[in-house]
Amino acid sequence: MAGFEHSDLEGSIVDLGTGTGRLAIGAALMGAREVLGLDIDKRSIRLAIRNGRRARVKADWVIGNLDSVRGNFSTVIMNPPYGTRSPHQDTQFLSRAFDLAPISYSIHKSSTQRYLVQFVNKKGRRVDQVRRMTMQIPHLFGFHRKKWEAIQVDLYRIIA
């Protein structure tokens, strides 16, 4: 959607909570001029660097919290924590995204759609598109109980 329908991946891109770097690497492969991946977890950033090298893409990787990134970007892409372990952590990511770029792509649990749309509107932004999909989440964290979990998620395109 970001690359083909809206050409939102042509400029400078930041991936907040990049994890393995999948979204940042995808943006680089789609032709983004600059790509920055941010994560608080050192292991994740090491893995993102390795994945970026394998994919032969140019990206910058930063270990830090949401306030570690400064500047203006064309687009924010992210799959933030869903707020199930820390309430409203996803909205902290959205707020920071709104500070950094006029366009954001963000993935959230489908069950939170009504709340998220209200949050976005209160922040002076608008949900332009929503795509529903099923995401397969592997057992990655100690609080995960199943080897794989299929959850319904929505991909939002949010504009200023």
Side-chain angles (χ1 to χ4, degrees), residues 2-157:
F4 293 117
E5 293 178 30
H6 300 287
S7 301
D8 290 334
L9 298 178
E10 295 174 352
S12 57
I13 309 300
V14 61
D15 178 5
L16 300 178
T18 195
T20 63
R22 182 178 292 179
L23 296 178
I25 292 165
L29 290 170
M30 293 290 296
R33 182 174 34 86
E34 295 176 62
V35 177
L36 173 71
L38 169 78
D39 205 288
I40 200 164
D41 184 66
K42 292 176 187 178
R43 288 183 2 216
S44 292
I45 290 293
R46 283 195 300 264
L47 185 55
I49 291 168
R50 203 164 55 232
N51 290 339
R53 285 182 184 145
R54 282 186 192 140
R56 293 189 170 105
V57 300
K58 183 182 180 301
D60 294 312
W61 307 100
V62 174
I63 300 167
N65 63 27
L66 292 174
D67 294 324
S68 300
V69 175
R70 304 246 185 256
N72 295 310
F73 296 85
S74 305
T75 304
V76 172
I77 55 178
M78 61 185 174
N79 181 10
Y82 295 144
T84 53
R85 302 295 292 174
S86 299
H88 305 297
Q89 194 170 19
D90 53 349
T91 57
Q92 293 171 11
F93 274 73
L94 283 171
S95 291
R96 187 65 183 131
F98 299 162
D99 292 339
L100 295 170
I103 300 168
S104 302
Y105 287 84
S106 192
I107 300 170
H108 299 269
K109 287 178 73 173
S110 296
S111 61
T112 63
Q113 187 178 80
R114 178 177 288 148
Y115 174 80
L116 282 171
V117 170
Q118 289 175 350
F119 177 83
V120 167
N121 291 338
K122 284 180 186 175
K123 292 290 186 173
R125 298 288 174 121
R126 180 171 66 85
V127 173
D128 181 54
Q129 288 183 322
V130 180
R131 299 268 171 88
R132 182 152 294 173
M133 62 190 117
T134 301
M135 185 178 271
Q136 295 289 335
I137 308 287
H139 185 282
L140 294 173
F141 301 103
F143 60 85
H144 287 165
R145 298 291 174 236
K146 298 178 182 176
K147 187 173 182 174
W148 288 92
E149 178 79 23
I151 61 168
Q152 290 294 114
V153 296
D154 295 333
L155 169 62
Y156 294 82
R157 179 177 190 255

